[in-house]
Amino acid sequence: MSALGGLMNLTASGKTDVGMVRSNNEDSFFLDEKLGLLVVADGMGGHASGETASSLAVNVIKDYFQGTQKKIRDYDRRYSEPTNRLNQAIRLANQAVFEAAQGSLHLKGMGTTIAAVLLTGNQLSIAHIGDSRVYLIRAGNIDQLTDDHSIVNEQVKREFITKEQAAHSEMKNILTKALGIREDMQADLDELTVFGNDILFLCSDGLSNMVTDEDVLDIICSMKEPAAACDELVYTANNNGGKDNITVIVGRIQSNRKWYSTLLKFMELFRR
Amino acid sequence: MKKINKSTITDFVLGIVLMLLALFSFLLSWGPLETLESGIYDLNANLRVQKSTAPVAVIAIDEQSITNLGRWPWPRARIAAMVDLLQSYQVKVIGLDIIYSEKDVNQGLVEVRNLIRSIEGEPVDTNRGIIAAAPSGTPLHSSVSENPSATKQPVMAVPVPTPRKPGMEGILASLKESEKRLDNDAILAGSIAAGKNVVLPLFFVPGNPTGRTAANLPEYLKKNSIPAEGGDESITAREIVPPIPEFAANAMGLGHINIIADRDGTVRSEPLLINFEEKLFPSFALQLTLKYLNYDLQSLKLGPEIKFGRKKIPVYDSNRMLISYNSGIPYYSFFDVANKKVSPEVFKDKIVIIAQSAAGLGAMQVTPTAVNVPPGTIIANVIENIINDDHIVRPEWAAMIEFIMILVFGLYIALVIPQLKAGVSAIVSTILLVGWMITTIYLFAAYGYWIKSLYPALILIVGYLVIVSKRFLLTEKTKDLMEADSVETNKMLGLSFQGQGLLDMAFDKFRKCPAKDESVKELLYNLGLDFERKRMFNKAVAVYQHIATAGDFKDIQERIKKLTAAGETMIFGLSGSKKEATVIMEHSEVKPTLGRYEVVKELGRGAMGTVYLGKDPRINREVAIKTLRYEEIDPEQIDEVKKRFFREAEAAGKLSHPNIVTIYDVGEDYDIAYMAMELLDGSDLAQYTKKENLLPTEEVIRVVSCVASALDYAHSNGIVHRDIKPANIMMLGNREVKVADFGIARVMATSKTQTGVVMGTPSYMSPEQIAGKKVDGRSDLFSLGVVLYELLSGEKPFNGDSIATLMYNITSSPPPSIKEFSPDIPDKMLPIIEKLLVKDVEARYQTGKSLADDLVACLR
């Protein structure tokens, strides 16, 4: 049964690249158009445990949604059921990575970022921990939906430094929150109504540090095919330095019922 | 951007639906709910009960009176006597609540009359009393006889004249007196007429009017009624039962004693007016009050309040007055009063009601405050209410308030409750409910305002319960039993760990699941197979044995046997346990092999794995076999490591150079990766890095230039060594120099930092390697520079007590001049060393060849 309920179509493509500097890739990603699930993870830790952390997290989330999952602990009434399921998947991933880290000397201290979206009908559930990002591209505008859990972002928010300074800061890769570091870690959740012709964009910091938001917007808007857009984004990031592992997912949303989505967009105007 | 929650909408809809239901019930006055409302009304009514202060008293014909004065019906003369007595007490008005709708048929009276007639020569009435005597002056009147067996036809007997005897006069006079005494009706009529202050009751049979008009009503009825206006809503009657005309004509007033109870049989109101043939007749109580206050019935003004003089009686619909019951209405037994046991003061200037109260006489009523209330008490209460202006009234604004409150509470449950936490909404709802109830109760008790509190209260209670249960059920649906949940979670996590290669952790998770479950056994079995593949035989056995505790499954028994046996003969021992397992074979006919090579003996243990002496049986050549030692590598990395191992080995296998160790073969056998290479007879350079064992300078130069040319060859074939160090450079017996482990060293990368991949021994790493950047051949040259430095001086150019310091030094500190350690180094060497150890890649030797050339030039 399509999670999208026949209302929206998701066409997505993803790509991951080791970049120009690193010699192994500690990013992982997963996408499933039918489930409406897109996930990006950027791992960290000594002894290549970052790869383990990110792929373990992504796999647990994938297994949760592909399995017969029904259980949700600590249902948060402020959010819809799909968002709660996404949160539960992330919670399980956190448990898995944390326990794996505890169980092995080599893996101790490993962790990963996570950025995930789940599309149900025309409702988008967003969850993230860390500095991997989710963007929404709509009507020629690009909008970052997630709030980086990084020290520099905190500084920017408190207006200690500007965004430009943050981009050049030494501490730019230091996170305030990561998955798998602590036994109990709550992801940031959000919900959004999407419409036809919206584009979702997920990436790890290996891309967002190398390519500006405007350039991302240009590339995605000029490349109709998500796969081509991903290639071009990775290429551009590498061209600009490729200092870290690069992972991108581009997802295009098409509406099945034109008139309905036009009506919804009209209503959305008032809500804004 | 506002988010609209699906569950908010559903709650809202639910709330609105309930509210509409409540409104409908309210507007339609739905029966069962009205009964509940009546219950609340009664409770409130009990709160209003106060001591009565009205000038009313009730004289009850109670059980005591019946017992002592005889069976009911009593002779009307007795009643008349009471009336006279009360007159003597100077009461203001008497309400005689006994309907005398028929004449009194008294057998004794008939016989006395007959006697009189026979004495006077009149015709005798043999038909028992139908004909009354003419002399008494009462008109003939026919009415339904008390005696059912009597017929209706008057009989006129033929007069038989009889002569009067002497002395009959006295008898006649006595008889006439007896007649008078027996004529109860006359006596009572007389008493009624005497005081002009007796009010008598009417009785109506309720029903739809028959359409007649009031043209033929007797005068006394007309007098005691007012015309009905069009649109009058009073209760209608289809038949009237008045007292006999003898009484009615002389009564001060007439009032109806109809008691109309509510649907549930409780008397809460009195119809002040009843409509009979378009004339409105007042109630007994109303009439008594009017007479007491000296008002005329005709002065009554109708409307939402019935007004006369300054009195206003608020009425409910159908001109009913809500009765506010009070206690303490003076109540006396007829017997006691008749025997003058009660002081006259009690009755003076008051309204006195004489009524029946004995069980079986009058119909007892149920009121909100008591059961078994005699009608007389109710009448007294009504009078009391009117006189004291003590009313329960349903104000016009009541309906509107209730309506508004239903809306308010409806919106509250629709919009507010869903947003509140369970505890908070419980408290707030309770406060609202209690507040509303207290307000309505207070208004009722203190002011007599009847506001129907039921509907708003009901919507609040029901709405709250519905919304809360819905929320509870919804979360219950998606939350399963903790036990089942954690089993599922453990299965899932276990599978994820297993997929990731974290087999031990997977085993931990699966162990938490019930082993008797077939699916769990399946999972464990697959895990056991995985352990086998990784040659972790003891762990595989542990898994199978765990399955076995819950019963047999597939071939686990055979596997357990096989694995335990294999552990004894297998050369490579049970992984992860004893590091000092030796190669000794137990049975010489079982020659262990790796690929096509026979394994002869163990040669040693390198950084990578154990090295064995092997023999290629096909060409009878001895080889060295390097194996990849799995227990040194984290299980989750093994696949990755193996992949790289083979890739690098393949690449290195293409190299053919006199100074590079030749790789013959690479393969996998029973999950051991191995590499067969030329057997070297010699040792590495590590021993020559010690100060006391340094090679002569020329020798060093020679060795290093050999390595340089080997590197040059490899680099031009696109292969970087990445781990040039003394341990990887071999010096054979014949002083040949061979560089070993090309590329393979990369596979053994164990330390990684967050900045990138770092591999090999730090001391020999180039700055770019440390920084995690991509490395090329020039990085090897840097490492060679470090080796050169060390071989010449016995000291490393870069040191540090911690890896961080060491790395810092490599990347940022210039090395100390080698002359500090070895003063007799030829000066020609210094720039070479410097150029090798420069941090900037571009400034370094770019090829091994140029280095070799420079080195050779030094020798001259």
Side-chain angles (χ1 to χ4, degrees), chain B residues 366-386:
Chain B
V366 176
T367 69
T369 52
V371 295
N372 270 344
V373 178
T377 314
I378 296 181
I379 295 170
N381 242 309
V382 175
I383 297 173
E384 194 255 359
N385 286 169
I386 301 177

Side-chain angles (χ1 to χ4, degrees), chain B residues 11-290:
Chain B
D11 282 343
F12 180 71
V13 165
L14 207 52
I16 297 296
V17 165
L18 283 174
M19 185 172 86
L20 289 173
L21 273 175
L23 279 173
F24 274 130
S25 320
F26 169 68
L27 292 171
L28 298 177
S29 298
W30 192 39
L33 291 184
E34 283 293 315
T35 313
L36 271 177
E37 175 60 45
S38 303
I40 298 179
Y41 178 99
D42 290 347
L43 287 170
N44 286 339
N46 274 300
L47 289 174
R48 265 183 85 74
V49 169
Q50 289 165 331
K51 216 136 172 33
S52 164
T53 54
V56 188
V58 175
I59 296 177
I61 300 172
D62 56 3
E63 264 100 12
Q64 184 194 26
S65 314
I66 301 285
T67 321
N68 291 320
L69 297 173
R71 199 169 60 85
W72 185 263
W74 288 342
R76 298 181 182 186
R78 192 174 295 150
I79 304 293
M82 175 59 80
V83 172
D84 293 335
L85 182 61
L86 291 174
Q87 306 291 21
S88 72
Y89 287 163
Q90 291 173 323
V91 305
K92 184 90 193 282
V93 188
I94 298 174
L96 183 54
D97 185 11
I98 305 165
I99 287 224
Y100 293 116
S101 50
E102 297 121 25
K103 285 174 77 62
D104 180 28
V105 174
N106 185 342
Q107 207 46 39
L109 179 60
V110 169
E111 287 308 317
V112 166
R113 285 206 174 117
N114 278 341
L115 281 172
I116 294 174
R117 259 194 225 105
S118 70
I119 291 174
E120 287 179 342
E122 295 288 330
V124 171
D125 171 21
T126 52
N127 264 352
R128 300 176 194 261
I130 289 179
I131 304 175
S136 61
T138 349
L140 285 171
H141 211 78
S142 80
S143 61
V144 178
S145 172
E146 275 179 33
N147 201 333
S149 56
T151 62
K152 280 202 185 153
Q153 300 124 2
V155 171
M156 285 295 274
V158 176
V160 175
T162 324
R164 260 202 212 134
K165 297 189 183 111
M168 277 294 184
E169 291 302 326
I171 295 175
L172 191 62
S174 300
L175 285 172
K176 285 214 171 144
E177 273 166 42
S178 293
E179 188 198 6
K180 277 211 193 78
R181 277 200 298 276
L182 288 169
D183 195 351
N184 286 309
D185 280 350
I187 296 172
L188 187 51
S191 298
I192 290 174
K196 293 194 182 38
N197 61 354
V198 178
V199 173
L200 291 177
L202 296 168
F203 185 74
F204 286 103
V205 178
N208 288 324
T210 52
R212 282 193 311 226
T213 53
N216 331 341
L217 286 182
E219 193 52 42
Y220 49 81
L221 288 180
K222 285 197 190 134
K223 196 173 64 154
N224 282 304
S225 60
I226 55 177
E229 279 143 48
D232 174 67
E233 287 178 357
S234 312
I235 296 174
T236 55
R238 59 183 166 85
E239 221 182 291
I240 186 172
V241 180
I244 54 175
E246 286 92 330
F247 299 156
N250 291 321
M252 186 186 186
L254 298 171
H256 77 74
I257 54 163
N258 282 68
I259 291 181
I260 313 272
D262 286 346
R263 239 184 292 221
D264 61 347
T266 312
V267 178
R268 296 192 184 90
S269 60
E270 168 160 297
L272 292 178
L273 298 162
I274 290 187
N275 183 330
F276 177 70
E277 294 180 1
E278 294 312 308
K279 282 221 171 271
L280 297 173
F281 290 83
S283 71
F284 196 66
L286 178 60
Q287 191 67 279
L288 279 170
T289 320
L290 285 170

Side-chain angles (χ1 to χ4, degrees), chain B residues 741-776:
Chain B
D741 290 349
F742 253 94
I744 311 297
R746 180 196 195 199
V747 174
M748 304 308 296
T750 48
S751 51
K752 293 192 180 204
T753 66
Q754 271 179 308
T755 55
V757 174
V758 174
M759 61 214 130
T761 332
S763 309
Y764 302 94
M765 278 174 8
S766 64
E768 57 269 20
Q769 271 179 319
I770 288 176
K773 300 192 185 135
K774 265 204 160 141
V775 296
D776 57 24

Side-chain angles (χ1 to χ4, degrees), chain B residues 704-851:
Chain B
V704 173
S705 50
C706 286
V707 176
S709 88
L711 286 178
D712 188 67
Y713 169 79
H715 296 164
S716 55
N717 277 298
I719 296 177
V720 182
H721 189 287
R722 288 191 164 84
D723 199 16
I724 291 290
K725 58 186 180 184
N728 284 336
I729 307 174
M730 313 296 286
M731 174 96 92
L732 302 186
N734 56 1
R735 310 218 79 90
E736 267 183 75
V737 176
K738 297 245 179 196
V739 180
D741 290 349
F742 253 94
I744 311 297
R746 180 196 195 199
V747 174
M748 304 308 296
T750 48
S751 51
K752 293 192 180 204
T753 66
Q754 271 179 308
T755 55
V757 174
V758 174
M759 61 214 130
T761 332
S763 309
Y764 302 94
M765 278 174 8
S766 64
E768 57 269 20
Q769 271 179 319
I770 288 176
K773 300 192 185 135
K774 265 204 160 141
V775 296
D776 57 24
R778 297 170 291 183
S779 174
D780 282 345
L781 294 176
F782 182 96
S783 306
L784 186 56
V786 177
V787 172
L788 177 59
Y789 191 107
E790 209 183 358
L791 287 173
L792 288 176
S793 66
E795 293 282 346
K796 294 196 173 65
F798 304 106
N799 285 296
D801 36 30
S802 69
I803 297 215
T805 326
L806 172 61
M807 287 182 180
Y808 176 77
N809 287 333
I810 295 176
T811 52
S812 315
S813 316
S817 169
I818 197 168
K819 277 227 180 255
E820 281 177 36
F821 303 113
S822 233
D824 25 274
I825 301 293
D827 288 340
K828 279 187 281 191
M829 302 283 314
L830 298 176
I832 297 178
I833 295 172
E834 201 185 299
K835 197 169 177 191
L836 281 174
L837 293 179
V838 74
K839 318 282 184 209
D840 182 12
V841 178
E842 305 304 325
R844 223 178 284 158
Y845 275 103
Q846 299 295 302
T847 62
K849 179 148 191 345
S850 45
L851 170 63

